[in-house]
Structure formats: structure tokens, C-alpha cells
Amino acid sequence: MTDLHVRRARTSDIPHIVRLVEPLVQSGILLGKERVVLYESVQEFRIAESADGEVVGCGALHVMWEDLGEVRTLAAAPEWLRRGVGHALLDVLEADARELGLSRLFCLTFEVPFFERHGFEDMGTETVDPAVYAELVRSRDDGVAEFLDLARVKPNTLGNTRMLKLLR
């Protein structure tokens, strides 16, 4: 693995996050987010930097419920693909999840083999118990709607796999 450093994101990193995710948004791999939403959620993001300080990747952890979080916006610069950026970011996001007391991580992805290598499994039609469902369905967050497999986000989720990992 290349010498990488993963750190918390700062507001000054938002243009770098936009640069990293925009090609993935254009190709339909990631959902686009307004810049204001990225600023509002900057505390959820981690940044991967190369040894010379270049921003080469990003990823976010969004808490959905008392024991459940979502890995979001995991991206690496094209020239840094298959060089350990995603792995390093995911390791830190999982550590963050454990520190917050989460026991399950969700992701919606086209990159099934990558997430399988990291212990995620296709969750199929699995959801949550009815009482939690009733609370989560009140959320306006599209990621929560994707987790619940709600009809209103079906156009966004076509071809994606809903995956879950139990944290030990």
C-alpha cells in the first residue's frame, strides 16, 4: 500500500470532495449532493492524502439509528484506484462507527466485490423491526430511504446492491 494518511475533513476539503465525486455522479455511480449539503455534513467525512499532501480520496460515515450507520461517498481519484485508498478510508470509517457505538454498517453500491472483501454482505430484502422502521421512515434523508428500500428512491438505486456489515 502507498503511504497514505487519513484524517478528518475540513471545510477547505469540500472542493476536493466535489472534484473526486463529480465524475462518479456524472456516470451514475454516486448520487450528487449540493455543495451546501457537503458543508453541512463535513464532520462525517474523512480525507485520504498522499505522502505529499494531495487529496486522493474521501468517504463519509452517516449515523442512521442507534446501532446503524451508512458508508457514503467513498471515492478515490482515478489515478489512485487499486492502491489502497478505499481500504484505508473504510478502515477508519469502521473505527469511527465502533467509537460511536454502532454495530451495523450499511452501504448502497455498485462495487460489490470491494465491499464483500471488507465483510459486507448483500442484505436482500432485510430491513429493521417495525418500531424502528416507523421511526426511520420519518427521515427525509435519501440514504435512509435507500436502506429501507422505499419506492421514492427506486430510480436512484437501480443496479445498486444494498449491503450490510456486522461490526465485531
Side-chain angles (χ1 to χ4, degrees), residues 144-164:
V144 174
E146 291 162 348
F147 173 76
L148 297 175
D149 205 22
L150 299 180
R152 73 175 171 87
V153 293
K154 288 293 186 192
N156 298 338
T157 63
L158 294 177
N160 280 306
T161 300
R162 295 165 62 240
M163 301 187 80
L164 194 68

Side-chain angles (χ1 to χ4, degrees), residues 16 27-28 32 34 54 57 66 74 76 97 112 115-116 121 124-125 129 131 134 137 140 143 151 163 168:
H16 298 292
S27 63
E34 297 294 333
E54 177 188 3
E66 66 181 332
L74 190 62
V112 172
F115 282 97
E116 283 178 336
E121 296 179 358
T125 59
D129 70 67
V137 78
R140 295 178 182 217
M163 301 187 80
R168 308 277 187 261

Side-chain angles (χ1 to χ4, degrees), residues 67-69 71 90-91 94 98 102-107 115-123 163-168:
D67 65 335
L68 178 65
V71 173
L90 192 54
D91 280 352
E94 286 185 20
R98 286 183 181 91
L102 303 178
S103 59
R104 299 180 299 158
L105 276 182
F106 164 74
C107 70
F115 282 97
E116 283 178 336
R117 285 192 303 274
H118 292 88
F120 285 76
E121 296 179 358
D122 185 333
M123 60 184 281
M163 301 187 80
L164 194 68
K165 178 177 182 172
L166 299 179
L167 299 176
R168 308 277 187 261

Side-chain angles (χ1 to χ4, degrees), residues 34-63:
E34 297 294 333
R35 197 173 285 245
V36 67
V37 172
L38 294 172
Y39 280 110
E40 290 171 343
S41 59
V42 70
Q43 70 279 1
E44 297 181 354
F45 276 87
R46 293 292 189 150
I47 296 295
E49 291 182 325
S50 66
D52 64 359
E54 177 188 3
V55 174
V56 298
C58 64
L61 172 67
H62 179 76
V63 175

Side-chain angles (χ1 to χ4, degrees), residues 65-67 104 126-136 147-148:
W65 195 247
E66 66 181 332
D67 65 335
R104 299 180 299 158
E126 179 185 332
T127 185
V128 293
D129 70 67
V132 173
Y133 184 94
E135 293 291 331
L136 286 175
F147 173 76
L148 297 175

